[in-house]
């Protein structure tokens, strides 16, 4: 069994014409040839497929594409879409169900969502030649996630997701986790993310692929499991001047008997479409990732993570209401309330985000 697992796909102003035309070669170029080698090709659909203008309340953009996007994906060779991400509910219930209908119409398998949180805790399993592979798709908490009473994406839970992985491993030969999370535009994992991914491996995941960061990060083999901290964008083509935005990795998994072999195929976005990286581009991208991988092995990734956080200091000070004036005592009081788990529980109870009220009847 061969799986090709791709990162974030969202229709942009630059790419919309290709998804409207339904021409897979115009949108995906020679990436279609890679898809043709796979038994299952999986992409993370990070936008609603809808004509709705009913945007939910949130900070950040509301992403959508034409319903014909599903036809283009099907024609290109895509078989499955993961939906657990922070944009699938950007146009509320109408946009979400429009997306499901479009995927169903094209017979594209989808996972990573549910009518409620409990309903979302279901997986998709592929079986071939007696080998069972189960995919667990979760996302961090950011506006689109399902609640106890409302449809949405399947959210990651530091306790229950681990139990879901353990349960999946009881009946599957291989368990793959697609995790939508990690800090955007950072090529290194946070300490929390690394601990979470490693614990997923200990619980039975054979591979964990982190998406959402919009840049290629680092990779490690941990206790026999594959962890990719940042897959990069797949088809999210934009003229934004962010380093690495238009580069991503298609992950190729070859499963033969009881072994899983992994390889990475870089993909480049340009002029609204994507293509396979040429030999020089592939070498540059993979060499750079291998250098970052060394920091995971020797522990210096923490320095890079800290440096990234320092670069975000002003943004977070403003978000906390400090602006340019605050005393050490005020800063430390805020830090204390944020640091302590019991205080964090209270924060979350009394300061719910718009996700709690978006599209509630």
């Amino acid at each position: 069994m061969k799986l090709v697992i791709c990162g974030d796909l969202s229709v942009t102003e630059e790419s919309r014409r290709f998804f409207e035309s339904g021409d897979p070669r115009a949108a995906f170029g020679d990436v279609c040839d890679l898809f043709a080698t796979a038994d299952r090709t999986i992409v993370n659909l990070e936008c609603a497929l809808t004509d709705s203008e009913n945007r939910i309340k949130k900070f950040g953009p509301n992403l959508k594409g034409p319903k014909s996007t599903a036809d283009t994906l099907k024609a290109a060779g895509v078989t499955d879409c993961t939906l657990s991400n922070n944009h699938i509910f950007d146009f509320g219930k109408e946009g979400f169900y429009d997306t499901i209908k479009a995927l169903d119409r094209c017979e594209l398998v989808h996972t990573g969502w549910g009518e409620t949180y409990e309903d979302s805790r279901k997986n998709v399993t592929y079986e071939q030649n007696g080998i069972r592979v189960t995919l667990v798709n979760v996302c961090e908490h950011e506006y689109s996630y399902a609640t106890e009473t409302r449809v949405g994406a399947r959210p990651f839970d530091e306790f229950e997701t681990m139990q879901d992985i353990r349960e999946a491993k009881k009946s599957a030969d291989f368990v793959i986790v697609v995790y939508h999370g990690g800090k955007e535009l950072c090529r290194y994992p946070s300490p929390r993310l690394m601990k979470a991914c490693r614990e997923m491996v200990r619980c039975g995941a054979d591979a964990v692929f982190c998406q959402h960061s919009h840049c290629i990060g680092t990779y490690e083999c941990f206790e026999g499991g594959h962890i990719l901290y940042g897959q990069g964008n797949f088809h999210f083509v934009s003229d934004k001047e962010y380093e690495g935005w238009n580069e991503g990795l298609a992950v190729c998994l070859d499963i033969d008997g009881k072994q899983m072999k992994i390889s990475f195929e870089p993909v480049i976005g340009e002029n609204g479409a994507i293509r396979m990286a040429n030999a020089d581009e592939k070498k540059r991208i993979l060499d750079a990732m291998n250098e970052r991988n060394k920091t995971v092995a020797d522990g210096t990734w923490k320095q890079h993570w800290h440096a990234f956080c320092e670069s975000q200091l002003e943004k977070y000070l403003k978000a906390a209401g400090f602006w340019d004036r605050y005393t050490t005592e005020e800063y430390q009081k805020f830090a204390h309330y944020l640091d302590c788990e019991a205080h964090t529980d209270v924060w979350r109870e009394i300061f719910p985000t718009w996700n709690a009220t978006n599209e509630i009847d």
Side-chain angles (χ1 to χ4, degrees):
M1 182 188 306
K2 180 173 181 178
L3 306 180
V4 173
I5 301 178
C6 303
D8 303 340
L9 182 149
S10 182
V11 179
T12 64
E13 291 183 7
E14 292 83 353
S15 67
R16 185 180 181 91
R17 66 186 187 277
F18 297 122
F19 288 104
E20 288 179 330
S21 72
D23 181 351
R25 288 280 170 177
F28 292 93
D30 56 356
V31 179
C32 294
D33 299 328
L34 176 65
F35 290 173
T37 69
D39 296 297
R40 311 294 306 187
T41 296
I42 304 159
V43 303
N44 171 51
L45 180 60
E46 198 173 8
C47 65
L49 305 183
T50 184
D51 298 322
S52 173
E53 297 296 334
N54 181 29
R55 300 168 181 261
I56 64 168
K57 289 185 176 180
K58 65 181 296 186
F59 291 104
N62 297 73
L63 304 180
K64 71 174 182 176
K67 298 175 184 178
S68 58
T69 299
D71 300 273
T72 306
L73 294 176
K74 181 71 171 182
V78 173
T79 59
D80 301 70
C81 292
T82 55
L83 304 183
S84 186
N85 58 63
N86 56 305
H87 287 289
I88 198 63
F89 199 73
D90 275 3
F91 287 80
K93 292 181 179 178
E94 179 183 3
F96 183 83
Y97 287 121
D98 281 348
T99 306
I100 298 300
K101 290 176 183 177
L103 297 178
D104 285 343
R105 174 176 54 79
C106 292
E107 299 183 331
L108 290 169
V109 175
H110 42 81
T111 188
W113 70 279
E115 294 293 342
T116 63
Y117 166 65
E118 286 299 328
D119 182 55
S120 75
R121 295 173 63 190
K122 53 186 183 293
N123 312 313
V124 62
T125 297
Y126 314 115
E127 188 166 2
Q128 182 175 301
N129 298 326
I131 301 296
R132 290 172 58 86
V133 179
T134 293
L135 180 66
V136 179
N137 180 214
V138 294
C139 66
E140 292 180 355
H141 293 69
E142 191 174 352
Y143 296 113
S144 283
Y145 61 92
T147 68
E148 293 179 357
T149 58
R150 197 210 65 208
V151 65
R154 178 183 185 175
F156 171 75
D157 183 277
E158 60 184 334
F159 304 109
E160 293 184 321
T161 298
M162 301 304 172
Q163 178 60 25
D164 292 343
I165 294 170
R166 288 191 291 267
E167 286 296 318
K169 190 64 173 180
K170 291 179 180 179
S171 59
D173 297 291
F174 296 92
V175 174
I176 299 168
V177 178
V178 175
Y179 178 97
H180 197 83
K183 191 66 189 79
E184 291 172 305
L185 306 180
C186 183
R187 294 188 183 273
Y188 300 88
S190 69
R192 176 200 62 81
L193 181 59
M194 179 175 284
K195 289 178 183 178
C197 291
R198 288 180 170 182
E199 186 61 23
M200 286 187 251
V201 170
R202 291 191 183 102
C203 288
D206 297 279
V208 181
F209 302 125
C210 300
Q211 302 174 346
H212 177 69
S213 64
H214 303 302
C215 59
I216 299 171
T218 62
Y219 162 82
E220 69 169 332
C221 185
F222 176 76
E223 296 187 3
H226 304 283
I227 305 176
L228 180 58
Y229 302 105
Q231 195 171 345
N233 283 330
F234 176 60
H235 204 310
F236 210 133
V237 187
S238 174
D239 58 7
K240 294 179 181 178
E241 296 182 359
Y242 295 134
E243 181 188 0
W245 181 276
N246 288 316
E247 297 175 352
L249 298 175
V251 178
C252 301
L253 297 177
D254 285 290
I255 301 172
D256 182 12
K258 297 296 182 180
Q259 293 184 335
M260 173 189 287
K261 296 180 181 179
I262 188 170
S263 60
F264 304 112
E265 292 293 338
V267 173
I268 303 291
E270 59 185 11
N271 301 320
I274 64 171
R275 60 173 173 79
M276 302 299 299
N278 62 38
D280 290 340
E281 292 166 333
K282 180 176 180 177
K283 184 178 186 305
R284 171 182 59 80
I285 291 170
L286 294 184
D287 284 352
M289 184 175 75
N290 288 332
E291 285 300 310
R292 291 191 296 272
N293 297 346
K294 294 177 183 178
T295 70
V296 175
D298 65 22
T300 57
W301 62 273
K302 294 180 182 179
Q303 299 172 18
H304 295 283
W305 163 252
H306 183 74
F308 174 85
C309 292
E310 287 287 338
S311 74
Q312 304 292 302
L313 179 60
E314 182 178 353
K315 171 184 175 180
Y316 282 84
L317 285 174
K318 290 181 178 179
F322 290 127
W323 298 95
D324 60 344
R325 293 184 181 182
Y326 58 92
T327 66
T328 300
E329 288 74 18
E330 289 172 328
Y331 178 94
Q332 281 298 322
K333 187 174 184 179
F334 177 78
H336 164 64
Y337 272 79
L338 192 63
D339 188 41
C340 174
E341 290 87 350
H343 288 309
T344 301
D345 290 340
V346 178
W347 282 121
R348 289 173 173 166
E349 188 70 21
I350 63 178
F351 292 108
T353 70
W354 278 319
N355 188 67
T357 54
N358 276 328
E359 289 286 336
I360 298 297
D361 294 329

